[in-house]
């Protein structure tokens, strides 16, 4: 045990994330979505979605934007296996191409739940984009159409993602640690 304050190790830095977001936007534009509705899964994807949506604009797309607030983790860091809708989308998705944006694809339950919901409501096509994918963790079968980075099997924070409501403001993705490694970054909180 140590009483050292929490520190952060940077996994994906700001410039690397921004470069990748623009590559993803170009790839999404190549899929030629029609009548595109972006649905960002709150809360964790808000920063990724904000950057990706602006990159989609620069890639020549004019998406409408919606949010769905889903919860499977609550305040814990272990998935409960259940997905709840805390706030639903307001737009009609019938006949539209939807781009579902989430922060992390882990068990796949969140993304499968959201994709099935939107397909059942009559979306023409549901594409999925995630910032991070943790391989080997899937409990249900789903692959995201667009993946930012493959993520090691560690609990990450920052760039919208939290632990206990903290760290969402960070412009990079990092790992909270109490180790004394040389490349550690002082936690801002
Ligand atoms: P899944 O339903 O695929 O198991 O879980 C995906 C959701 O779990 C993500 O949208 C995210 O909210 C949460 N999650 C999974 N891994 C992490 C992690 O390492 N850090 C944080 N902050 N959230 C995670
Ligand atoms: Mg989430």
């Amino acid at each position: 045990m140590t009483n050292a304050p929490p520190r952060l190790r940077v996994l994906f830095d700001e410039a690397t994330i921004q470069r990748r977001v623009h590559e993803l936007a170009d790839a999404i534009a190549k899929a030629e979505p029609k009548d595109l509705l972006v649905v960002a899964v709150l809360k964790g994807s808000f920063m990724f979605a904000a950057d990706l949506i602006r990159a989609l604009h620069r890639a020549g797309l004019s998406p409408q934007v919606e949010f769905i607030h889903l919860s499977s983790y609550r305040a814990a860091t272990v998935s409960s296996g259940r997905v709840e809708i805390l706030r639903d989308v307001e737009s009609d998705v019938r006949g539209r191409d939807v781009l579902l944006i989430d922060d992390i694809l882990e068990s796949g339950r969140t993304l499968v739940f959201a994709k099935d919901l939107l397909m059942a409501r009559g979306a023409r096509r549901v594409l999925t984009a995630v910032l991070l994918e943790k391989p080997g963790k899937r409990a249900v079968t789903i692959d995201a159409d667009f993946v930012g980075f493959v993520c090691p099997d560690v609990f990450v924070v920052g760039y919208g993602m939290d632990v206990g409501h903290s760290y969402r403001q960070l412009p990079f993705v990092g790992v909270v640690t109490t180790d004394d490694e040389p490349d550690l970054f002082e936690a801002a909180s």
Side-chain angles (χ1 to χ4, degrees):
M1 281 299 283
T2 167
N3 289 323
R7 295 158 73 95
L8 293 172
R9 183 160 53 89
V10 178
L11 263 188
F12 301 104
D13 67 32
E14 201 173 346
T16 305
I17 292 172
Q18 292 309 319
R19 269 198 307 275
R20 188 67 189 129
V21 164
H22 284 88
E23 289 172 2
L24 291 178
D26 289 341
I28 292 163
K30 285 205 179 78
E32 299 188 353
K34 303 276 179 305
D35 191 19
L36 180 60
L37 177 68
V38 164
V39 175
V41 179
L42 296 175
K43 300 175 184 169
S45 81
F46 81 91
M47 204 177 277
F48 174 47
D51 284 343
L52 185 57
I53 289 161
R54 282 177 289 188
L56 290 174
H57 165 74
R58 292 189 198 106
L61 298 181
S62 309
Q64 292 185 352
V65 180
E66 270 278 11
F67 302 92
I68 189 166
H69 190 180
L70 298 178
S71 172
S72 59
Y73 266 67
R74 292 303 185 133
T77 55
V78 178
S79 176
S80 65
R82 252 187 54 228
V83 181
E84 268 181 274
I85 302 178
L86 302 182
R87 180 197 178 276
D88 208 341
V89 295
E90 291 165 358
S91 300
D92 191 350
V93 301
R94 256 174 300 178
R96 306 185 70 173
D97 280 354
V98 175
L99 177 69
L100 200 51
I101 301 181
D102 205 358
D103 51 0
I104 304 191
L105 174 57
E106 191 173 26
S107 77
R109 287 191 189 98
T110 308
L111 215 54
V112 162
F113 176 88
K115 187 173 177 174
D116 287 353
L117 182 77
L118 297 168
M119 287 304 293
R121 290 176 181 172
R124 189 175 85 96
R125 179 164 67 145
V126 178
L127 297 169
T128 53
V130 295
L131 177 70
L132 304 175
E133 178 190 356
K134 289 185 184 172
K137 302 286 285 183
R138 223 68 86 238
V140 291
T141 308
I142 186 166
D143 284 318
D145 298 296
F146 306 96
V147 176
F149 305 97
V150 173
C151 181
D153 185 17
V154 291
F155 196 82
V156 297
V157 298
Y159 199 60
M161 294 174 283
D162 75 315
V163 62
H165 303 290
S166 292
Y167 303 112
R168 291 194 198 273
Q169 81 285 0
L170 299 173
F172 57 84
V173 174
V175 181
V176 181
T177 170
T178 49
D179 296 350
D180 276 325
E181 295 166 45
D183 62 337
L184 294 179
F185 188 99
E186 280 290 344
S189 65

